[in-house]
Amino acid sequence: MIIGIGSDLCDIRRIERSLERFGDRFTHRIFTEGERARSDRRSSRAASYARRFAAKEACSKALGTGLRAGVFWRDMEVVNQPSGQPTMRLSGGAWVRLQELTPEGCEAVLHVSLTDDPPMAQAFVVIEARPRARP
C-alpha cells in the first residue's frame, strides 16, 4: 500500500549558483558526507547535487511534513543499492515520521526515481508499506 508520494523539480543553475556563492557552507548544510563524496567526484557536479536536492524535497513531501516538524535536510540521504538503483536512508526526525506513517505489521520501502535534463533535475519518491514476512 502506498503511504506517501512526493515529487520535486529543481533548476540545476540555481544549485550551481549556490555552490559558487556558498561552497562548503551550502553542501554541508544540506547534504550528508556520503552525498558530498559522490557528487563531488562527478563531472556534472551541480546536476548531481540538484538531483539529490530534488530527492530530499520529494521525500519530505512524501513524509507529509515538508522540511519542518523535526525533519531536516540531512535526515534524508540519497544512497544507491548495489545495483545502482537510488533509494533513501532516513535518520532523525525523518525516520521518526516514517515510523509514524507505517502501519502496524508493515515495513516501509522507499522507491526513488532521479533524472535530469539540463537545466532541470527531477525526483519522485514513493513510500510503500509492505506486510512483514511472518517467521
Side-chain angles (χ1 to χ4, degrees), residues 27-38:
T27 60
H28 284 74
R29 179 172 177 248
I30 306 292
F31 303 98
T32 66
E33 184 178 332
E35 289 171 317
R36 291 191 309 269
R38 190 166 182 95

Side-chain angles (χ1 to χ4, degrees), residues 1 8 15 23 30 41-42 46 51 55 63 68-69 76 79 82 85-86 92 99 102 105-106 111 116 118 128:
M1 135 182 44
D8 192 65
I15 299 301
I30 306 292
R41 67 176 182 249
R42 300 270 191 223
R51 288 189 302 272
L63 290 169
R68 58 182 176 75
M76 300 166 285
V79 296
Q85 179 182 357
Q99 298 311 301
T102 306
C106 292
H111 303 276
D116 67 78
E128 175 189 10

Side-chain angles (χ1 to χ4, degrees), residues 79-85:
V79 296
N80 293 83
Q81 296 176 356
S83 66
Q85 179 182 357

Side-chain angles (χ1 to χ4, degrees), residues 11-23 46:
D11 190 325
I12 296 168
R13 296 167 298 191
R14 180 176 149 230
I15 299 301
E16 193 166 39
R17 285 191 301 271
S18 293
L19 290 168
E20 290 168 0
R21 183 170 179 194
F22 302 109

Side-chain angles (χ1 to χ4, degrees), residues 1-6 58-65 90 94-111 125-132:
M1 135 182 44
I2 295 174
I3 57 175
I5 299 174
C59 184
S60 73
K61 293 171 185 177
L63 290 169
T65 59
L90 304 185
W95 174 256
V96 169
R97 177 63 180 154
L98 181 64
Q99 298 311 301
E100 292 169 354
L101 284 175
T102 306
E104 189 74 32
C106 292
E107 64 179 338
V109 179
L110 281 80
H111 303 276
V125 174
V126 175
I127 304 173
E128 175 189 10
R130 287 186 188 162
R132 284 196 182 100

